[in-house]
Amino acid sequence: MHTQSGKIILLEGIHEAADELLAGTGLEIQRIQGSPDAARLKEYASEADVLCIRSRTQIDHSVLEAANRLCAIGCFCIGTNQVDLKIAAEHGIAVFNAPFSNTRSVAELTLAELVMLLRRIPQRNADMHSGQWRKSASGSHEVRGRTLGIVGYGHIGTQLSVLAEALGMRVIYHDIIAKLPIGNANPARDLESLLSESDVVSLHVPATQATRNMIGERELGQMKQGGFLINNARGNVVDLDALAAALDSGQVGGAALDVFPEEPKSGDAKFTTPLAGRTNVLLTPHIGGNTLEAQAAIAREVGSKLNRFLLEGATGTAVNLPNVDLPSRGPGQHRILHFHRNVPGVLGRMHTALAGLNVNINAEFLQSSGDLSYVILDVDPIEIETVHEELSKIPETIRIRTII
Ligand code: NAI
């Protein structure tokens, strides 16, 4: 494929903020509503040079087998589980996503929940809906001057830290990595100290072996009596039965949960949790990162990664390929992008083939990872078909693309 020709197919109603960046590649853009069935998906995959999806479209082995032209997949979401990344890599197909475009949305929801919990709004709201006017300051607090303990001081944790300090909170945090404190935040000595010092504990760690049930009966017992817990990270970080018991005993004063150990796959499925029915618990259906602003930010982030890949060959942000970035080509230069199996001698054979065609190489950058290598060559203008034909004869070649 030469960039400036070909088709980008967008599925699943991707936010239009992507359009300008994708149109900048010169490729034709086709938008399809919804996520197609398996047969239609294979058809689209066979027509597209770039396929843009969200989380519902499953790109498995059989779809990738049908995708002869495809050189990139844009996952306009956070995760990439819906794509068989290994097979995509074996086909030299770059996969991009937007891991941090919804950070702010999660931080804002957390902040709002924190205020709601300290003011006992879930209870007051339930009272009002059942016709009870309970005007009382009992158990209701300002957040100003209270201590927020953030577990996992990464992208979301640090954003939350800044927002909470703006409300006058004292912020402490715990992380497995030594992190630079933002603003006036301070690291806690360890998780136990954080739990015992915080009025509100907010979890922002990933799902790992170490974070599985990291907040259970013992840790809940280490919290301040009547403290609050927020989990907008991953469902299996908190032992929900232990939390239910701690809420019932009053050890924990209230909680907000956006994520659950088992989440329904679709809106039709029934949702159950041991925390249901408690008026001091805020439950939301994993919507921490779901805002229109986050959708637009995701569209811009993945759109710009695809734009750079298509116009320059940059894979620096691809999740499944060797990461190669090279400055923009010099004027009049052509750029050859070559994915090949990582075995000795391929580069030498490429050099020989290009020398045989009298092609002058001006810049070269190679990166290998596992079985795969990716080399970018900037060359004087070439006869594209002839160069592709010669390089294709190298048996380890997986995919060639030229940018002119
Ligand atoms: P991040 O990778 O930037 O930060 C995570 C932090 O947790 C890192 O600083 C890491 O060192 C730390 N950490 C890892 N293991 C730890 C442990 N055992 N103890 C203490 N700290 C530990 O991630 P980011 O973007 O801040 O996201 C945090 C969580 O929020 C992730 O689980 C993510 O999946 C979840 N999330 C939830 C969303 C929602 O809709 N509710 C949306 C976006 C993210």
Side-chain angles (χ1 to χ4, degrees):
M1 169 208 174
H2 322 157
T3 303
Q4 289 106 2
S5 68
K7 197 197 273 189
I8 302 177
I9 299 183
L10 290 94
L11 307 173
E12 298 192 63
I14 288 163
H15 196 283
E16 65 267 13
D19 289 6
E20 196 182 327
L21 287 154
L22 297 178
T25 64
L27 273 67
E28 179 194 339
I29 294 179
Q30 186 182 355
R31 275 184 171 275
I32 309 287
Q33 286 305 314
S35 178
D37 62 29
R40 293 291 293 157
L41 179 59
K42 278 186 199 162
E43 272 174 43
Y44 293 135
S46 69
E47 291 166 22
D49 298 277
V50 178
L51 204 52
C52 297
I53 60 168
R54 290 173 63 189
S55 47
R56 292 224 312 275
T57 305
Q58 299 293 318
I59 310 274
D60 63 11
H61 181 264
S62 68
V63 177
L64 291 166
E65 289 304 328
N68 296 322
R69 303 174 55 86
L70 199 65
C71 69
I73 297 170
C75 297
F76 284 70
C77 50
I78 311 303
T80 52
N81 297 345
Q82 70 280 40
V83 179
D84 190 327
L85 295 178
K86 188 165 173 292
I87 304 282
E90 284 167 15
H91 286 68
I93 297 170
V95 180
F96 298 94
N97 67 336
F100 305 119
S101 286
N102 61 5
T103 297
R104 176 71 181 208
S105 300
V106 181
E108 284 191 13
L109 178 69
T110 308
L111 192 75
E113 289 172 338
L114 200 151
V115 175
M116 293 289 159
L117 287 171
L118 266 89
R119 296 296 296 272
R120 311 266 173 200
I121 299 300
Q123 291 96 322
R124 296 290 98 83
N125 181 54
D127 292 345
M128 292 293 279
H129 280 282
S130 64
Q132 298 176 75
W133 183 270
R134 290 208 174 123
K135 186 174 160 139
S136 158
S138 171
S140 182
H141 297 281
E142 291 184 351
V143 299
R144 180 171 49 170
R146 299 263 147 191
T147 299
L148 169 64
I150 297 174
V151 183
Y153 201 59
H155 289 84
I156 297 171
T158 47
Q159 277 272 330
L160 175 64
S161 174
V162 172
L163 297 175
E165 281 201 9
L167 289 183
M169 295 193 83
R170 170 180 171 249
V171 176
I172 56 176
Y173 64 86
H174 166 69
D175 202 292
I176 37 163
I177 296 172
K179 293 283 180 121
L180 176 74
I182 306 290
N184 301 312
N186 279 305
R189 200 176 59 247
D190 50 26
L191 180 60
E192 186 176 346
S193 321
L194 177 136
L195 295 171
S196 64
E197 283 179 45
S198 302
D199 298 296
V200 182
V201 174
S202 193
L203 307 174
H204 300 287
V205 290
T208 64
Q209 288 283 19
T211 62
R212 191 175 185 84
N213 285 335
M214 88 185 282
I215 303 296
E217 187 184 348
R218 186 169 61 110
E219 292 73 22
L220 293 164
Q222 289 166 346
M223 283 176 64
K224 266 190 187 177
Q225 169 86 34
F228 297 90
L229 180 73
I230 301 178
N231 182 15
N232 290 339
R234 281 292 176 262
N236 55 19
V237 176
V238 178
D239 175 344
L240 291 190
D241 291 322
L243 177 59
L247 285 160
D248 290 345
S249 72
Q251 168 58 21
V252 173
L257 299 157
D258 187 46
V259 288
F260 303 87
E262 273 156 38
E263 298 182 1
K265 296 261 179 297
S266 77
D268 303 330
K270 180 114 175 85
F271 169 71
T272 55
T273 173
L275 301 176
R278 287 179 173 74
T279 57
N280 56 351
V281 178
L282 276 166
L283 299 175
T284 48
H286 204 147
I287 47 148
N290 281 35
T291 60
L292 295 176
E293 287 76 10
Q295 291 303 324
I298 288 168
R300 283 192 296 272
E301 184 175 344
V302 183
S304 75
K305 287 175 178 177
L306 288 169
N307 178 293
R308 284 206 62 223
F309 177 65
L310 291 166
L311 295 182
E312 292 175 15
T315 53
T317 53
V319 296
N320 65 330
L321 292 184
N323 290 168
V324 180
D325 272 319
L326 208 59
S328 300
R329 302 164 281 154
Q333 296 281 292
H334 286 183
R335 179 166 280 184
I336 300 170
L337 317 170
H338 189 264
F339 289 100
H340 55 265
R341 280 194 290 286
N342 182 21
V343 295
V346 178
L347 217 50
R349 284 201 283 281
M350 284 181 73
H351 289 165
T352 307
L354 292 171
L357 295 170
N358 212 20
V359 172
N360 188 39
I361 301 172
N362 297 305
E364 174 174 289
F365 198 90
L366 169 86
Q367 194 65 256
S368 298
S369 144
D371 296 339
L372 199 65
S373 291
Y374 179 35
V375 62
I376 298 182
L377 301 171
D378 283 355
V379 295
D380 288 341
I382 50 170
E383 170 52 52
I384 293 164
E385 273 72 28
T386 320
V387 166
H388 277 216
E389 202 178 307
E390 283 306 304
L391 293 181
S392 300
K393 288 180 187 161
I394 300 171
E396 291 81 9
T397 296
I398 295 172
R399 180 175 294 272
I400 310 167
R401 188 159 69 93
T402 311
I403 302 173
I404 55 173

